[in-house]
PDB file of all heavy atoms in Angstrom:
ATOM      1  N   PHE U 117      -1.254  -4.425   4.151  1.00 90.00           N
ATOM      2  CA  PHE U 117      -1.174  -2.980   3.944  1.00 90.00           C
ATOM      3  C   PHE U 117      -1.581  -2.247   5.216  1.00 90.00           C
ATOM      4  O   PHE U 117      -0.901  -1.323   5.658  1.00 90.00           O
ATOM      5  CB  PHE U 117      -2.059  -2.554   2.763  1.00 90.00           C
ATOM      6  CG  PHE U 117      -2.049  -1.082   2.493  1.00 90.00           C
ATOM      7  CD1 PHE U 117      -0.965  -0.489   1.893  1.00 90.00           C
ATOM      8  CD2 PHE U 117      -3.128  -0.285   2.856  1.00 90.00           C
ATOM      9  CE1 PHE U 117      -0.935   0.878   1.637  1.00 90.00           C
ATOM     10  CE2 PHE U 117      -3.118   1.083   2.602  1.00 90.00           C
ATOM     11  CZ  PHE U 117      -2.005   1.656   2.000  1.00 90.00           C
ATOM     12  N   GLY U 118      -2.683  -2.666   5.818  1.00 91.00           N
ATOM     13  CA  GLY U 118      -3.126  -2.049   7.058  1.00 91.00           C
ATOM     14  C   GLY U 118      -2.102  -2.221   8.172  1.00 91.00           C
ATOM     15  O   GLY U 118      -1.811  -1.274   8.920  1.00 91.00           O
ATOM     16  N   ALA U 119      -1.546  -3.415   8.285  1.00 92.00           N
ATOM     17  CA  ALA U 119      -0.537  -3.676   9.322  1.00 92.00           C
ATOM     18  C   ALA U 119       0.726  -2.855   9.070  1.00 92.00           C
ATOM     19  O   ALA U 119       1.323  -2.312  10.002  1.00 92.00           O
ATOM     20  CB  ALA U 119      -0.188  -5.165   9.356  1.00 92.00           C
ATOM     21  N   GLY U 120       1.104  -2.734   7.798  1.00 88.00           N
ATOM     22  CA  GLY U 120       2.276  -1.923   7.468  1.00 88.00           C
ATOM     23  C   GLY U 120       2.087  -0.469   7.836  1.00 88.00           C
ATOM     24  O   GLY U 120       3.005   0.186   8.344  1.00 88.00           O
ATOM     25  N   ARG U 121       0.886   0.006   7.615  1.00 87.00           N
ATOM     26  CA  ARG U 121       0.583   1.395   7.996  1.00 87.00           C
ATOM     27  C   ARG U 121       0.543   1.542   9.510  1.00 87.00           C
ATOM     28  O   ARG U 121       0.842   2.600  10.043  1.00 87.00           O
ATOM     29  CB  ARG U 121      -0.743   1.831   7.407  1.00 87.00           C
ATOM     30  CG  ARG U 121      -0.616   2.164   5.937  1.00 87.00           C
ATOM     31  CD  ARG U 121      -1.504   3.286   5.594  1.00 87.00           C
ATOM     32  NE  ARG U 121      -0.842   4.134   4.612  1.00 87.00           N
ATOM     33  CZ  ARG U 121      -1.451   5.117   4.016  1.00 87.00           C
ATOM     34  NH1 ARG U 121      -2.696   5.388   4.270  1.00 87.00           N
ATOM     35  NH2 ARG U 121      -0.802   5.857   3.144  1.00 87.00           N
ATOM     36  N   ALA U 122       0.175   0.500  10.220  1.00 90.00           N
ATOM     37  CA  ALA U 122       0.119   0.565  11.682  1.00 90.00           C
ATOM     38  C   ALA U 122       1.518   0.499  12.301  1.00 90.00           C
ATOM     39  O   ALA U 122       1.760   1.094  13.358  1.00 90.00           O
ATOM     40  CB  ALA U 122      -0.746  -0.577  12.223  1.00 90.00           C
ATOM     41  N   ILE U 123       2.427  -0.209  11.663  1.00 91.00           N
ATOM     42  CA  ILE U 123       3.771  -0.384  12.227  1.00 91.00           C
ATOM     43  C   ILE U 123       4.510   0.941  12.319  1.00 91.00           C
ATOM     44  O   ILE U 123       5.220   1.199  13.304  1.00 91.00           O
ATOM     45  CB  ILE U 123       4.570  -1.404  11.379  1.00 91.00           C
ATOM     46  CG1 ILE U 123       4.035  -2.798  11.645  1.00 91.00           C
ATOM     47  CG2 ILE U 123       6.060  -1.343  11.691  1.00 91.00           C
ATOM     48  CD1 ILE U 123       4.588  -3.860  10.721  1.00 91.00           C
ATOM     49  N   THR U 124       4.358   1.805  11.322  1.00 85.00           N
ATOM     50  CA  THR U 124       5.116   3.069  11.317  1.00 85.00           C
ATOM     51  C   THR U 124       4.860   3.913  12.556  1.00 85.00           C
ATOM     52  O   THR U 124       5.817   4.268  13.251  1.00 85.00           O
ATOM     53  CB  THR U 124       4.835   3.853  10.029  1.00 85.00           C
ATOM     54  OG1 THR U 124       5.151   3.024   8.910  1.00 85.00           O
ATOM     55  CG2 THR U 124       5.662   5.110   9.964  1.00 85.00           C
ATOM     56  N   PRO U 125       3.616   4.269  12.892  1.00 85.00           N
ATOM     57  CA  PRO U 125       3.434   5.074  14.107  1.00 85.00           C
ATOM     58  C   PRO U 125       3.803   4.322  15.385  1.00 85.00           C
ATOM     59  O   PRO U 125       4.266   4.933  16.354  1.00 85.00           O
ATOM     60  CB  PRO U 125       1.953   5.453  14.094  1.00 85.00           C
ATOM     61  CG  PRO U 125       1.311   4.533  13.132  1.00 85.00           C
ATOM     62  CD  PRO U 125       2.361   4.089  12.174  1.00 85.00           C
ATOM     63  N   LEU U 126       3.624   2.994  15.385  1.00 88.00           N
ATOM     64  CA  LEU U 126       3.995   2.227  16.561  1.00 88.00           C
ATOM     65  C   LEU U 126       5.513   2.243  16.778  1.00 88.00           C
ATOM     66  O   LEU U 126       5.987   2.401  17.910  1.00 88.00           O
ATOM     67  CB  LEU U 126       3.487   0.789  16.452  1.00 88.00           C
ATOM     68  CG  LEU U 126       1.968   0.619  16.516  1.00 88.00           C
ATOM     69  CD1 LEU U 126       1.566  -0.821  16.228  1.00 88.00           C
ATOM     70  CD2 LEU U 126       1.430   1.069  17.861  1.00 88.00           C
ATOM     71  N   LEU U 127       6.273   2.110  15.712  1.00 89.00           N
ATOM     72  CA  LEU U 127       7.734   2.180  15.821  1.00 89.00           C
ATOM     73  C   LEU U 127       8.182   3.570  16.248  1.00 89.00           C
ATOM     74  O   LEU U 127       9.096   3.707  17.075  1.00 89.00           O
ATOM     75  CB  LEU U 127       8.396   1.807  14.490  1.00 89.00           C
ATOM     76  CG  LEU U 127       8.355   0.339  14.114  1.00 89.00           C
ATOM     77  CD1 LEU U 127       8.916   0.148  12.695  1.00 89.00           C
ATOM     78  CD2 LEU U 127       9.113  -0.496  15.110  1.00 89.00           C
ATOM     79  N   ARG U 128       7.546   4.581  15.696  1.00 89.00           N
ATOM     80  CA  ARG U 128       7.903   5.950  16.077  1.00 89.00           C
ATOM     81  C   ARG U 128       7.637   6.177  17.551  1.00 89.00           C
ATOM     82  O   ARG U 128       8.458   6.731  18.266  1.00 89.00           O
ATOM     83  CB  ARG U 128       7.101   6.953  15.243  1.00 89.00           C
ATOM     84  CG  ARG U 128       7.468   8.401  15.558  1.00 89.00           C
ATOM     85  CD  ARG U 128       6.543   9.374  14.824  1.00 89.00           C
ATOM     86  NE  ARG U 128       6.992  10.733  14.983  1.00 89.00           N
ATOM     87  CZ  ARG U 128       6.683  11.483  16.041  1.00 89.00           C
ATOM     88  NH1 ARG U 128       5.947  10.986  17.012  1.00 89.00           N
ATOM     89  NH2 ARG U 128       7.126  12.720  16.127  1.00 89.00           N
ATOM     90  N   GLN U 129       6.475   5.729  18.000  1.00 88.00           N
ATOM     91  CA  GLN U 129       6.126   5.917  19.400  1.00 88.00           C
ATOM     92  C   GLN U 129       7.049   5.116  20.309  1.00 88.00           C
ATOM     93  O   GLN U 129       7.371   5.569  21.407  1.00 88.00           O
ATOM     94  CB  GLN U 129       4.673   5.507  19.623  1.00 88.00           C
ATOM     95  CG  GLN U 129       4.151   5.833  20.999  1.00 88.00           C
ATOM     96  CD  GLN U 129       2.673   5.562  21.131  1.00 88.00           C
ATOM     97  OE1 GLN U 129       2.051   4.987  20.239  1.00 88.00           O
ATOM     98  NE2 GLN U 129       2.089   5.972  22.226  1.00 88.00           N
ATOM     99  N   ALA U 130       7.483   3.945  19.880  1.00 91.00           N
ATOM    100  CA  ALA U 130       8.361   3.108  20.692  1.00 91.00           C
ATOM    101  C   ALA U 130       9.797   3.610  20.722  1.00 91.00           C
ATOM    102  O   ALA U 130      10.578   3.215  21.583  1.00 91.00           O
ATOM    103  CB  ALA U 130       8.339   1.672  20.181  1.00 91.00           C
ATOM    104  N   SER U 131      10.148   4.475  19.778  1.00 89.00           N
ATOM    105  CA  SER U 131      11.530   4.971  19.737  1.00 89.00           C
ATOM    106  C   SER U 131      11.777   5.903  20.923  1.00 89.00           C
ATOM    107  O   SER U 131      10.890   6.572  21.417  1.00 89.00           O
ATOM    108  CB  SER U 131      11.789   5.681  18.410  1.00 89.00           C
ATOM    109  OG  SER U 131      11.829   7.046  18.557  1.00 89.00           O
TER     110      SER U 131
END
Side-chain angles (χ1 to χ4, degrees):
F117 179 75
R121 283 215 143 172
I123 287 171
T124 303
L126 292 173
L127 287 174
R128 182 186 187 276
Q129 188 173 8
S131 106

